[in-house]
C-alpha cells in the first residue's frame, strides 16, 4: 500500500462515526463550532481542539486512551495556544491509565501536563469534568483546575483503589464511597456534583459564561434585564428574633442577585460557608456568606474562593453573621491558626472590589477575617440587626463582668459606624440598591499589583 493510499484510508477512518471522546467535546461546544487539532495523531489517546461555548473561544481536550508522551504533548499544545489567546481550557477526564511500556517516560508525560497547568494557573480559567476513570497520578490534573465537575454515576477519582487499604473489604467501602462525586464533593475536591453527563456540560457552559476569558480581561458583563432599583421588603424580617436560629442566607443572596439567579460552588462542602457567583448590574460577582460559626473546612473553602475571584478580576460581596469558631478542639488549634491567617491574607491581598454586609453577628477574630474593614474591605454596611464587638454578649457580661446595657450600647452598628469601622447602616430591603451603588463606584478601583501576581497563598 502506497503512502497516498494510507492517508486516504486514515482520512476515511476519521470520517467514520466519531469516538466517545470527540462526541463529548461536540456536545460541550456550540453546535458545529468544534475544530479538532492533531486529528492525524490518532494513537495519542486524547482528542484536542477549540471552538466556542456560548459565543466565547475555548480550548479543550478529551481523553480516550492511556497517558503517554504523545498524549501529554497534545494537551500541552492546547495549553500553549490557550495561553497565547487568553482563553479557558476545559478537560474531559476519562483515562485508561498509563502506558506502562513507556516506563519513566510516563512520569515525563505527566510532568509536561503539570507544567502546562502550572503556567496557566491564575492566568486562564481551567475547568475539569471527570466522566469516567481518573486514577493515580491523573487525579492531580483535575485537582489543579479551578473547578471540578462530576456526575453522580459512572465516574470515579481516587489515588489508590479501596481494596489496598487495610480494613476495607470492597463492599462497605466501594469505588463510589471512596472516589465518587458525592464523597469527593463533601471533601471539597469536586465543586459541582451533577445528575448526568449532560448536566456536567451545562454547568461548564454556565461557568464559561460567568467567568472572564483570562486574568487581564475586564469584568465579565452581561445584558441587564432586572430592575436596578428593586427592593425586597421580606429582608426586613428575615433575621430571626433569637440569636441561635440560622439566617436564610441563600434567600438574601438570591434577593440581591440579578434575576434572582445564584450559581453555588461547593454546595456539599463546608455548608456553614456559602460561596458562588451572581450577577449585579450584569457584572459577575463572587459571593461568600456565613451560615453560623466557621470551622477549618469553612475557612479553607472561603479562602480558595477568594483567591479564584481575585485572580480573575471578579468583585467580592460577603454577608457576615459569625460569632466565632465551632467545634474548636485543642487538637485543631494549630490548623485554625494556620488557615484563619491564610483567609485573612486572602482578603487583605485581594485587589478586586470588596463589599461586606454585616447581617447579624460580627464578633471577635472570626469577624476580623471575614472581609472586615480592618483587613481591607472597601465598603462595609451593616443592617440594624447587627451586633459588632470584640467579644460576644455572653463573654463580655459573664466573663468580663461588663454591664449588659453598656455592652448593647457599644456594639450597635450605629456606634461602630460613628467610630468609622463601617460605612453605613442600611435598611435590609434596600440591600441590592446599596450594593449596586457601591460596586459601580468601585469598578475603576486600582491598587498596586506589581508584587502580588504570585503572592496568593494556596489552601
Amino acid at each position: 500500500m502506497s503512502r497516498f493510499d494510507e492517508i486516504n484510508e486514515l482520512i476515511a477512518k476519521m470520517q467514520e462515526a466519531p469516538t466517545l471522546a470527540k462526541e463529548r467535546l461536540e456536545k460541550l461546544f456550540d453546535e458545529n463550532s468544534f475544530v479538532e487539532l492533531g486529528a492525524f495523531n490518532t494513537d495519542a489517546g486524547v482528542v484536542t481542539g477549540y471552538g466556542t461555548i456560548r459565543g466565547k473561544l475555548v480550548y479543550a481536550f478529551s481523553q480516550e486512551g492511556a497517558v503517554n508522551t504523545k498524549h501529554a504533548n497534545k494537551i500541552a499544545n492546547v495549553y500553549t495556544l490557550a495561553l497565547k489567546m487568553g482563553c479557558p481550557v476545559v478537560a474531559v477526564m476519562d483515562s485508561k491509565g498509563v502506558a506502562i511500556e513507556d516506563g519513566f517516560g510516563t512520569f515525563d508525560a505527566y510532568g509536561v501536563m503539570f507544567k502546562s497547568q502550572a503556567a496557566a494557573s491564575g492566568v486562564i480559567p481551567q475547568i475539569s469534568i471527570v466522566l469516567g476513570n481518573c486514577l493515580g497520578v491523573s487525579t492531580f490534573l483535575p485537582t489543579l483546575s479551578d473547578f471540578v465537575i462530576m456526575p453522580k454515576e459512572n465516574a470515579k477519582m481516587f489515588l489508590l483503589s479501596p481494596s489496598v487499604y487495610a480494613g476495607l473489604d470492597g463492599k462497605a467501602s466501594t469505588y463510589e464511597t471512596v472516589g465518587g462525586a458525592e464523597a469527593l464533593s463533601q471533601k471539597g475536591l469536586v465543586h459541582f456534583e451533577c445528575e448526568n453527563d449532560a448536566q456536567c456540560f451545562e454547568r461548564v457552559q454556565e461557568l464559561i459564561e460567568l467567568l472572564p476569558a483570562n486574568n487581564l480581561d475586564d469584568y465579565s458583563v452581561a445584558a441587564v434585564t432586572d430592575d436596578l432599583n428593586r427592593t425586597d421588603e421580606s429582608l426586613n424580617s428575615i433575621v430571626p428574633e433569637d440569636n441561635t436560629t440560622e439566617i436564610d442566607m441563600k434567600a438574601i443572596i438570591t434577593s440581591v442577585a440579578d434575576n434572582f439567579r445564584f450559581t453555588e460552588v461547593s454546595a456539599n462542602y463546608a455548608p456553614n460557608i456559602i460561596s458562588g457567583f451572581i450577577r449585579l448590574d450584569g457584572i459577575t460577582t463572587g459571593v461568600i456568606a456565613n451560615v453560623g460559626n466557621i470551622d477549618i473546612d469553612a475557612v479553607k473553602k472561603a479562602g480558595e474562593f477568594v483567591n479564584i475571584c481575585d485572580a480573575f478580576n471578579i468583585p467580592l460581596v460577603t454577608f457576615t453573621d459569625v460569632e466565632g469558631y465551632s467545634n474548636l478542639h485543642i487538637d485543631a488549634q494549630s490548623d485554625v491558626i494556620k488557615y484563619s491567617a491564610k483567609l485573612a491574607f486572602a482578603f487583605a491581598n485581594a485587589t478586586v472590589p470588596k463589599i461586606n454586609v454585616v447581617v447579624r453577628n460580627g464578633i471577635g477574630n472570626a469577624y476580623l477575617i471575614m472581609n472586615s474593614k480592618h483587613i481591607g474591605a472597601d465598603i462595609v454596611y451593616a443592617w440594624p440587626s447587627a451586633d459588632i464587638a470584640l467579644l460576644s454578649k455572653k463573654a463580655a457580661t459573664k466573663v468580663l463582668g461588663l454591664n449588659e446595657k453598656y455592652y448593647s450600647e457599644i456594639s450597635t452598628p450605629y456606634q461602630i459606624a460613628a467610630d468609622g469601622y463601617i460605612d453605613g447602616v442600611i435598611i435590609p430591603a434596600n440591600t441590592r440598591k446599596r450594593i449596586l451603588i457601591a460596586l459601580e463606584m468601585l469598578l475603576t478601583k486600582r491598587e498596586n499589583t506589581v508584587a502580588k501576581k504570585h503572592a496568593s497563598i494556596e489552601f
Side-chain angles (χ1 to χ4, degrees):
M1 181 183 292
S2 68
R3 182 60 179 165
F4 183 76
D5 291 333
E6 289 177 359
I7 293 173
N8 280 337
E9 184 177 323
L10 183 57
I11 292 174
K13 184 178 180 181
M14 290 168 56
Q15 291 174 340
E16 295 174 358
T19 63
L20 177 60
K22 187 172 181 180
E23 282 182 350
R24 285 169 168 168
L25 291 181
E26 288 176 342
K27 290 177 181 177
L28 173 67
F29 285 92
D30 296 340
E31 188 175 0
N32 298 323
S33 75
F34 176 66
V35 178
E36 187 174 357
L37 295 169
F40 286 89
N41 191 359
T42 55
D43 58 348
V46 63
V47 176
T48 61
Y50 64 92
T52 60
I53 295 179
R54 299 194 178 177
K56 292 184 175 181
L57 180 63
V58 176
Y59 288 80
F61 64 88
S62 180
Q63 294 180 311
E64 62 178 353
V67 175
N68 55 31
T69 302
K70 285 186 175 182
H71 187 114
N73 287 335
K74 281 188 75 172
I75 292 174
N77 181 56
V78 163
Y79 271 98
T80 299
L81 289 170
L83 282 168
K84 286 179 180 178
M85 297 304 298
C87 296
V89 171
V90 177
V92 180
M93 307 297 298
D94 186 6
S95 173
K96 301 296 188 293
V98 298
I100 300 297
E101 63 273 12
D102 282 10
F104 268 85
T106 300
F107 284 165
D108 188 57
Y110 276 111
V112 168
M113 292 187 287
F114 294 152
K115 285 187 287 186
S116 297
Q117 282 194 288
S121 181
V123 180
I124 55 175
Q126 300 180 62
I127 304 171
S128 290
I129 320 171
V130 180
L131 294 183
N133 292 324
C134 186
L135 318 175
V137 181
S138 287
T139 58
F140 299 167
L141 294 169
T143 305
L144 291 173
S145 300
D146 298 305
F147 300 101
V148 182
I149 303 168
M150 282 182 73
K152 290 182 178 179
E153 297 181 356
N154 304 320
K156 49 188 177 290
M157 181 169 67
F158 51 83
L159 190 61
L160 298 173
S161 168
S163 61
V164 307
Y165 291 100
L168 299 184
D169 57 9
K171 296 178 181 178
S173 298
T174 64
Y175 292 130
E176 285 71 27
T177 59
V178 173
E182 182 178 0
L184 296 179
S185 65
Q186 291 173 358
K187 296 180 184 299
L189 287 176
V190 170
H191 299 90
F192 299 97
E193 179 188 2
C194 299
E195 291 295 330
N196 48 47
D197 291 8
Q199 194 177 80
C200 289
F201 298 141
E202 290 173 5
R203 188 62 73 183
V204 172
Q205 292 159 359
E206 184 179 2
L207 284 172
I208 292 296
E209 190 173 46
L210 283 166
L211 297 170
N214 56 67
N215 65 337
L216 298 179
D217 254 12
D218 290 331
Y219 303 109
S220 177
V221 183
V224 182
T225 58
D226 199 356
D227 182 1
L228 301 182
N229 294 307
R230 174 166 54 78
T231 60
D232 186 354
E233 296 296 328
S234 69
L235 296 186
N236 290 336
S237 58
I238 200 169
V239 177
E241 292 186 6
D242 65 286
N243 200 39
T244 58
T245 302
E246 290 180 355
I247 299 172
D248 188 351
M249 284 294 190
K250 288 185 184 179
I252 297 175
I253 294 169
T254 55
S255 172
V256 303
D258 288 355
N259 304 112
F260 308 98
R261 186 176 177 182
F262 173 48
T263 301
E264 188 171 2
V265 176
S266 300
N268 297 333
Y269 174 55
N272 47 341
I273 279 284
I274 298 172
S275 63
F277 298 110
I278 62 175
R279 286 195 186 273
L280 290 170
D281 195 9
I283 301 165
T284 296
T285 305
V287 176
I288 297 174
N290 297 113
V291 182
N293 291 340
I294 56 176
D295 55 19
I296 295 169
D297 284 343
V299 171
K300 289 180 181 179
K301 177 178 174 178
E304 289 171 357
F305 191 74
V306 171
N307 283 343
I308 287 175
C309 289
D310 188 42
F312 295 113
N313 203 27
I314 298 171
L316 275 163
V317 174
T318 53
F319 294 97
T320 300
D321 175 31
V322 64
E323 285 190 280
Y325 295 89
S326 60
N327 303 318
L328 184 54
H329 302 294
I330 293 176
D331 293 341
Q333 293 243 8
S334 58
D335 280 343
V336 168
I337 294 169
K338 176 180 179 180
Y339 291 107
S340 294
K342 287 187 174 187
L343 178 57
F345 179 90
F347 273 121
N349 185 61
T351 57
V352 294
K354 293 173 288 187
I355 301 168
N356 187 14
V357 179
V358 184
V359 175
R360 181 169 60 182
N361 294 308
I363 308 296
N365 297 343
Y367 166 67
L368 173 67
I369 66 175
M370 283 302 302
N371 195 27
S372 68
K373 192 83 169 177
H374 314 285
I375 60 170
D378 299 298
I379 296 292
V380 178
Y381 292 129
W383 285 6
S385 52
D387 182 20
I388 306 170
L390 287 174
L391 297 170
S392 67
K393 181 183 289 187
K394 180 179 179 181
T397 57
K398 293 189 176 181
V399 178
L400 296 183
L402 290 181
N403 180 277
E404 187 169 326
K405 181 181 179 182
Y406 174 70
Y407 174 86
S408 298
E409 290 174 352
I410 64 172
S411 64
T412 68
Y414 303 100
Q415 182 58 51
I416 305 303
D419 293 337
Y421 297 122
I422 61 175
D423 297 293
V425 182
I426 63 174
I427 298 171
N430 295 339
T431 302
R432 170 176 162 82
K433 291 200 301 182
R434 297 303 297 268
I435 291 176
L436 284 172
I437 292 169
L439 181 60
E440 290 290 346
M441 177 270 293
L442 290 168
L443 288 181
T444 55
K445 173 185 175 183
R446 292 290 183 269
E447 288 190 21
N448 181 17
T449 59
V450 173
K452 74 172 287 290
K453 182 179 179 183
H454 300 292
S456 61
I457 296 180
E458 295 298 325
F459 281 75

